[in-house]
């Protein structure tokens, strides 16, 4: 018989074995406080319209963990993702992830717009087309690891689709779930919650609450499901008063009109763009120069440790990268940080080796960028 004591001691032992260390999310500072991307954990990413919250979710909770896994880090996690795409389409998501990958591999900024030749003066060049074709293996991996559902979302559809996914990766016996791999992580991403609609008998807010509550049940029952909910700030009259007082920083109040998703989430992050609020300075950073290339990631809530942490980031939309930038008193040339190329020269940049003989922890050849 399982008791509270036995469950507690099992978790302590698993921690000692390194099983409670999560995937990287591309920010060493944030990982200190939220332990990376872990199974059985609920994440919420919020932000204003156009702040980059959806791209950040792809960067932090899909791209970085996926690349780490493919290079032999936490192979026992065997990650998969279920995406309910209420805003971007599957090809658009692939384009953003491929753009991240191409910059890391070739140090080329290949824009989403250029990938799809959107516009008369943005036809994809032969050189860049060849790069895309040369990296079809990465797209094959996305096909294998990402399970995408487009279209409207209601509570019944969400429950049934996630239930089917759990059956693929484990077995239900009565009300208990037995995962095939207890260390596995299945990220379930909804982008974004505010686009969930009303349905017969339920308002939009009620449906958001039901889906959020369903996510908690799957998280707790399976231990491998990690909900990743994206929400757009719904700044009401109280928020407007804050803005008048020059208090633009995100708080839990920005989620109050979006149902119970804040309370249901264990980790809450907010993407804040000072440029969107026409600020010229943010905590010592010169926003007049950096403009949209600067965002701040706020850790608003963590049930596992400290919160109220702010991490300054360079946001480079052409390649969908979010990179920690130095403290303002260490920046002597702001123009340098308006493109991501500084990171290639910086000693903190991830070292991506092109060595087909290098092995992962399991002895298999690494998936190399």
């Amino acid at each position: 018989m399982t008791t509270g004591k036995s469950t507690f001691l099992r978790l302590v032992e698993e921690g000692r074995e390194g099983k409670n260390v999560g995937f990287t999310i591309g920010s060493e500072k944030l990982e200190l406080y939220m332990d990376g991307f872990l199974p059985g954990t609920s994440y919420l990413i919020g932000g204003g319209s156009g702040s980059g919250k959806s791209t950040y979710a792809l960067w932090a909770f899909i791209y970085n963990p996926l690349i780490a896994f493919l290079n032999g880090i936490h192979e026992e996690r065997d990650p998969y993702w279920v995406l309910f795409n209420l805003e971007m389409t599957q090809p658009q998501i692939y384009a953003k992830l491929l753009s991240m990958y191409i910059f890391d591999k070739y140090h080329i900024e290949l824009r989403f717009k250029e990938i799809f030749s959107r516009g008369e003066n943005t036809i994809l060049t032969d050189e860049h087309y060849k790069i895309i074709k040369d990296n079809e293996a990465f797209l094959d991996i996305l096909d294998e690891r990402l399970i995408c559902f487009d279209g409207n979302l209601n509570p019944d559809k969400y429950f049934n689709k996630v239930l089917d996914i759990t059956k693929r990766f484990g077995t239900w016996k009565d009300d208990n779930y037995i995962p095939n791999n207890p260390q596995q992580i299945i990220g379930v991403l909804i982008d974004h919650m505010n686009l969930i609609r009303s349905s017969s008998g339920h308002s939009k807010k009620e449906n958001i609450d039901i889906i959020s509550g369903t996510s908690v049940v799957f998280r707790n029952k399976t231990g491998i499901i990690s909900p990743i909910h994206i929400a757009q700030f719904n700044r009401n009259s109280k928020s407007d008063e804050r803005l008048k007082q020059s208090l633009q920083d995100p708080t839990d109040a920005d989620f109050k009109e979006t149902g119970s998703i804040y309370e249901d989430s264990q980790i809450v992050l907010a993407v804040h763009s000072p440029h969107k609020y026409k600020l010229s300075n943010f905590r010592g950073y010169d926003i007049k120069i950096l403009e949209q290339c600067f965002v701040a990631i706020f850790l608003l809530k963590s049930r596992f440790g400290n919160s109220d942490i702010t991490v300054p980031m360079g946001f480079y939309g052409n390649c969908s990268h979010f990179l920690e930038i130095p403290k303002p008193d260490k920046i002597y040339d702001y123009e340098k940080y308006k493109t991501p190329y500084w990171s290639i020269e910086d000693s903190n940049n991830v070292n991506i080796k092109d060595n087909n003989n290098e092995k992962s922890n399991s002895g298999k050849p690494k998936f190399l960028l």
Side-chain angles (χ1 to χ4, degrees), residues 253-294:
D254 292 311
F255 295 92
K256 291 304 183 185
E257 299 302 315
T258 54
S260 61
I261 54 175
Y262 187 93
E263 289 75 15
D264 289 341
S265 301
Q266 295 165 310
I267 301 288
V268 179
L269 298 166
V271 182
H272 177 56
S273 172
H275 180 65
K276 289 282 184 181
Y277 293 98
K278 305 186 186 305
L279 298 180
S280 60
N281 185 281
F282 179 82
R283 302 190 182 186
Y285 290 95
D286 192 337
I287 305 304
K288 287 186 295 184
I289 298 178
L290 292 174
E291 297 181 322
Q292 69 271 15
C293 295
F294 178 93

Side-chain angles (χ1 to χ4, degrees), residues 108-125:
I108 292 173
E109 292 181 275
L110 188 55
R111 297 179 298 160
F112 170 95
K113 185 179 178 72
E114 185 181 354
I115 289 173
F116 292 122
S117 301
R118 293 181 62 90
E120 185 176 347
N121 298 318
T122 54
I123 301 300
L124 185 67
T125 66

